[in-house]
Amino acid sequence: MNESTVTAAAAQALAVAGQGPAYLPPFAQARLGTMGIELELMVLDRLTYDLLPAAPDILQLLEQQDKRWVATPEITTSMLEVATSILDNYQQALAELEDIRHRVERAAFAVGAVISGGGAHPFQQWRDQRIYPKARYRESARKFGYLAKLFTVFGMHVHIGVPSGDEAVRLCAWRTQRAPLFIALSANSPCWQGENSGFCSARSNVVGAFPMSGTMPAHIRSWQQFEQHFARLAALGIVTSVKDFYWDVRPKPESGTIELRVLDTPLHPSFAAALACYARALCVEASRPPERWPVDDGLNCTPGTASTPPATASLAPGSIRRRAPRAASPRRCCAMAARPAG
């Protein structure tokens, strides 16, 4: 790693933590169709199935292991994030996700916890959550107030490699158009704060509360225009890094990817791998032919236009969303989700 790379990484870290000036790294090239998967996981008490603030202890155990993937903290201490290495196909994805599950489960068991997927814990209370002691999350709590603790929800993010910034912007537009499809396919969070939310994905509505959620503006049609948009918002003090965009799909310049962010965390590695590969396949399909953009035909709308609803609207009354069963028991749902799969 040369000096310029170290300097760029340091500038990025300071910007993300809110401790330095805004910074947007140049877009790194990646091979089209490579992918990476991030999963936000619940840390549960083994007896009560309530959220347990044991993520720091689990992460400490995982740091001692030699592994291809990484585990990092999330905004509250009852959740953690795992991220795979660069993957090429379903078999690689499934094998690595199974390895992640087994290792994280063992580490959690050692501290009296269990790990679960799912988009939202069914009966936790947001007031009880603790902000993870990390500069970025403390800054989020300062900036967003109670929303920071409310953001104890759990999603799956799929990164797809793209060869250039311009192509990343174009493919973000295509993936944004398909975001409701992935919400519907992954929705598994019907309960929220001990109540039947009436939605199959309560998580999606929580994410929508953040000021910078939604979709990439439709006027952005190149990486240069994205840079200009970022610079305008940075000058106003609204953003300091790409992580401040809570869009359904956003570019990730430092890794040369676009990031699909609308999925609830699946309950099994095989489902996570399948969803990631489906997102990858649609991305590769949209890359051929190049230069083609989504067209507003009244059904598939160009992202950001007035006729385009936010992705969460796909689960709103009167659309494709399906109401959760009234008899759903939050505690039973949580216990079943935490049970190791066969």
Side-chain angles (χ1 to χ4, degrees):
M1 186 178 291
N2 57 40
E3 184 177 349
S4 62
T5 303
V6 172
T7 303
Q12 171 82 349
L14 288 172
V16 168
Q19 297 179 329
Y23 180 73
L24 179 67
F27 197 90
Q29 292 184 340
R31 181 163 52 87
L32 178 66
T34 52
M35 63 180 176
I37 303 168
E38 297 173 355
L39 297 172
E40 295 163 345
L41 302 173
M42 302 183 198
V43 180
L44 305 177
D45 185 285
R46 204 159 63 219
L47 299 178
T48 67
Y49 294 112
D50 201 354
L51 288 178
L52 183 70
D57 299 325
I58 296 172
L59 290 169
Q60 189 173 18
L61 292 175
L62 292 174
E63 284 175 2
Q64 302 169 12
Q65 301 181 18
D66 182 23
K67 54 192 182 300
R68 290 171 52 84
W69 48 274
V70 297
T72 55
E74 255 299 336
I75 194 164
T76 60
T77 55
S78 300
M79 56 193 305
L80 58 85
E81 180 177 278
V82 292
T84 68
S85 61
I86 298 174
L87 307 167
D88 288 306
N89 54 52
Y90 175 82
Q91 288 76 19
Q92 290 179 4
L94 180 59
E96 192 156 317
L97 290 172
E98 288 282 8
D99 180 59
I100 288 172
R101 181 179 70 165
H102 293 314
R103 290 189 189 224
V104 177
E105 280 181 348
R106 286 197 296 269
F109 188 84
V111 299
V114 290
I115 296 297
S116 177
H121 188 280
F123 60 85
Q124 63 92 10
Q125 297 298 311
W126 66 267
R127 299 173 187 83
D128 299 334
Q129 304 313 312
R130 307 175 190 173
I131 299 297
Y132 199 96
K134 186 177 178 181
R136 176 190 167 203
Y137 301 132
R138 286 194 291 263
E139 174 62 16
S140 294
R142 183 198 66 79
K143 184 186 298 185
F144 297 120
Y146 82 101
L147 290 178
K149 289 186 176 181
L150 200 68
F151 206 38
T152 306
V153 289
F154 308 85
M156 169 175 160
H157 303 165
V158 182
H159 289 260
I160 308 296
V162 291
S164 70
D166 287 343
E167 186 69 351
V169 169
R170 188 178 72 87
L171 292 179
C172 275
W174 278 105
R175 289 289 64 75
T176 297
Q177 190 186 70
R178 294 293 183 263
L181 170 64
F182 284 94
I183 294 176
L185 288 173
S186 67
N188 61 20
S189 52
C191 298
W192 175 244
Q193 304 286 301
E195 299 288 339
N196 186 335
S197 71
F199 290 82
C200 290
S201 178
R203 170 191 169 273
S204 299
N205 296 322
V206 175
V207 175
F210 276 76
M212 294 301 293
S213 62
T215 61
M216 184 179 70
H219 73 267
I220 298 177
R221 307 277 285 194
S222 69
W223 183 248
Q224 182 180 21
Q225 290 178 342
F226 180 85
E227 290 177 319
Q228 293 168 350
H229 181 72
F230 179 89
R232 283 195 295 270
L233 295 181
L236 295 170
I238 296 173
V239 301
T240 58
S241 77
V242 170
K243 285 183 174 290
D244 291 325
F245 294 121
Y246 292 87
W247 296 341
D248 297 340
V249 188
R250 71 185 181 191
K252 192 75 178 299
E254 62 269 32
S255 57
T257 64
I258 64 171
E259 181 184 7
L260 176 65
R261 300 168 44 80
V262 299
L263 298 90
D264 285 0
T265 295
L267 298 175
H268 195 278
S270 61
F271 196 19
L275 284 169
C277 288
Y278 185 36
R280 171 187 178 275
L282 290 180
C283 201
V284 172
E285 179 187 44
S287 70
R288 305 167 184 156
E291 309 302 329
R292 187 165 59 98
W293 287 78
V295 176
D296 184 353
D297 59 3
L299 178 63
N300 296 321
C301 303
T302 304
T305 61
S307 57
T308 304
T312 50
S314 66
L315 302 179
S319 65
I320 66 169
R321 72 95 162 154
R322 176 171 53 86
R323 283 195 176 274
R326 290 188 178 277
S329 165
R331 192 172 296 273
R332 178 172 173 79
C333 288
C334 197
M336 292 177 66
R339 188 177 302 156

